[in-house]
Amino acid sequence: RQTLVRNEEVKHVVCCCRKKCLLFNDMVLIIATLHTGFSRRAKSFEMILVGRFLEGICAGRTPHYSILK
């Protein structure tokens, strides 16, 4: 039976998209860590809140990508 899209193409797209999503998630996590780390030097409590908020978003998104194996 012939399909519109081959299995190899689907696997490539899923792998490519998963890699980009994980890299984006890592970049957001690095930004959150920098906010939390520099909050003491800037003496800004709000930077801790922003950093924790971004870390929470990253923690919520990570488990969903392990399903795509």
Side-chain angles (χ1 to χ4, degrees), residues 16-50:
C16 180
C17 291
R18 182 174 59 180
K19 185 187 287 187
K20 287 182 183 178
C21 287
L22 288 173
L23 285 173
F24 177 74
N25 196 29
D26 289 341
M27 295 206 27
V28 172
L29 191 59
I30 289 171
I31 291 170
T33 306
L34 289 174
H35 268 85
T36 306
F38 286 125
S39 65
R40 181 174 286 173
R41 177 177 275 187
K43 296 179 181 163
S44 173
F45 181 72
E46 291 81 8
M47 288 179 71
I48 293 175
L49 294 177
V50 170

Side-chain angles (χ1 to χ4, degrees), residues 43-66:
K43 296 179 181 163
S44 173
F45 181 72
E46 291 81 8
M47 288 179 71
I48 293 175
L49 294 177
V50 170
R52 294 263 178 117
F53 179 74
L54 291 174
E55 288 172 2
I57 290 174
C58 291
R61 292 179 61 183
T62 302
H64 302 293
Y65 299 125
S66 61

